[in-house]
Amino acid sequence: MKTVIVVHGGAWAIPDELAEASVAGVKNAVRAGDTVLKNGGSALDAVEKAVRSLEDDPTFDAGHGAVLNIDGEVELDSIIMDGETLAAGAVACVRNIANPVSLARAVMEKTDHVMLTDRGASMFAERIGTPVAHDLVTEPERKEWEHCKSYHAGVKMLFNTQWGHDTVGAVALDSFGNVACATSTGGIRNKMVGRVGDSPIIGSGGYADNRSGAVSCTGHGESILKVTLARLILFHMEQGDSSTAAAAASLQYMCERVKGCGGAVVLSSSGDWAASFTTPRMAWASIKEDVLHYGLNPKEEFTEMPK
């Protein structure tokens, strides 16, 4: 089976000053995940590696660089899912964890549960020896937070006008024919304490099933939750749609039904992939058959040979 990996760095109106760094970040992440696949690693290992790269990059709203809630605190959400077994792990409202995607995987592999939140997730992280991080907040984010301390004002500014710093994710197909997905986010700036969006919710922020494919979503979390976007995309694929057609139809439905914008990276079990979005921009990258594809603006795609 030919390996494939696709990553995104969030669907929103990425400003010009972040455009170059956003593209560079997703290219670095997709190369990291592709290296895992080329060395015979699993799709699960590849999406975790790719998302960790994005969590470590302060350009993105995940891990280092996450946005702040109304109290000026970081609260992180993440999910990872194995398409072979439908095993999944998720964490929500975790703090001081640089790589919540890896904590989500630990929930999947080391507990009998699917999701842990807040205090329980922190207790579990401490028990398994997850390092504590105290450097997740960047100075630019602290300044942005100071300018906008009302949750309602934040939602109006971030999503009604499509200026929402948002979510990272990845999907992959390995040489064994298995797919996986992972999604990670710091959520909405100035969100209420304890707010959880779509990212850690199975079927909304991500889903993976060898019988259809894998999806990682990005965008307005409340809208994505209402239409269970990841599972909706895979439903269309199960009806015979291509990855591109399934993503387009599902994003259009979300726009029409709940007035929500967003994006997704999609991968079928046969290796057909797509990166689609209804926001002004989404940084994305993929590698298939040793060709790196990437883009930022609508209907834009560049290619180069992986380094």
Side-chain angles (χ1 to χ4, degrees):
M1 178 69 70
K2 299 285 188 180
T3 62
V4 188
I5 182 164
V6 195
V7 308
H8 70 78
W12 59 298
I14 300 169
D16 290 342
E17 57 267 28
L18 289 180
E20 184 176 350
S22 296
V23 171
V26 294
K27 288 167 71 174
N28 288 337
V30 83
R31 290 185 183 117
D34 182 61
T35 297
V36 172
L37 295 173
K38 289 294 190 296
N39 289 330
S42 69
L44 204 62
D45 290 338
V47 295
E48 180 185 9
K49 185 73 171 180
V51 169
R52 282 180 64 98
S53 175
L54 294 164
E55 289 172 338
D56 291 340
D57 188 332
T59 303
F60 304 103
D61 176 19
H64 294 275
V67 299
L68 303 177
N69 67 15
I70 196 167
D71 284 352
E73 301 166 329
V74 167
E75 288 184 317
L76 306 171
D77 306 327
S78 188
I79 190 173
I80 192 166
M81 188 167 185
D82 180 356
E84 180 182 14
T85 63
L86 301 188
V91 293
C93 294
V94 298
R95 310 176 188 201
N96 301 323
I97 301 294
N99 297 113
V101 69
S102 294
L103 185 59
R105 183 168 181 177
V107 171
M108 178 180 73
E109 295 179 339
K110 299 180 179 181
T111 80
D112 294 326
H113 307 307
V114 169
M115 178 183 287
L116 294 177
T117 69
D118 199 6
R119 186 174 68 92
S122 297
M123 291 169 62
F124 173 66
E126 182 178 2
R127 179 161 61 84
I128 65 173
T130 303
V132 174
H134 297 289
D135 59 345
L136 301 182
V137 182
T138 64
E139 188 57 33
E141 171 55 25
R142 179 66 68 182
K143 290 180 179 178
E144 287 293 331
W145 177 79
E146 289 287 348
H147 285 132
C148 180
K149 292 187 178 180
S150 163
Y151 173 69
H152 295 291
V155 168
K156 182 177 180 180
M157 181 182 72
L158 294 176
F159 291 105
N160 290 348
T161 58
Q162 298 179 332
W163 281 86
H165 208 56
D166 199 69
T167 312
V168 303
V171 293
L173 171 68
D174 63 30
S175 58
F176 306 101
N178 298 319
V179 297
C181 74
T183 306
S184 185
T185 190
I188 307 173
R189 181 180 295 121
N190 295 307
K191 63 189 178 182
M192 290 177 65
V193 174
R195 178 265 188 186
V196 178
D198 68 289
S199 296
I201 305 302
I202 294 175
S204 291
Y207 201 82
D209 185 345
N210 279 7
R211 296 186 179 184
S212 48
V215 179
S216 173
C217 296
T218 168
H220 184 214
E222 282 73 10
S223 295
I224 293 171
L225 282 164
K226 290 172 184 176
V227 301
T228 56
L229 183 60
R231 195 65 191 85
L232 181 61
I233 291 171
L234 289 180
F235 168 78
H236 281 288
M237 292 169 65
E238 290 163 359
Q239 306 309 303
D241 284 357
S242 67
S243 295
T244 299
S250 301
L251 288 167
Q252 180 64 28
Y253 175 80
M254 185 170 76
C255 181
E256 293 174 352
R257 194 73 176 86
V258 296
K259 303 296 185 288
C261 295
V265 290
V266 186
L267 177 62
S268 75
S269 297
S270 63
D272 171 46
W273 65 272
S276 302
F277 54 99
T278 53
T279 52
R281 284 175 163 173
M282 181 178 82
W284 63 270
S286 77
I287 295 180
K288 180 179 182 180
E289 297 182 355
D290 294 325
V291 179
L292 190 153
H293 305 256
Y294 66 94
L296 179 70
N297 297 303
K299 299 180 180 179
E300 174 183 85
E301 182 176 331
F302 302 102
T303 60
E304 65 182 56
M305 299 304 294
K307 295 180 181 179

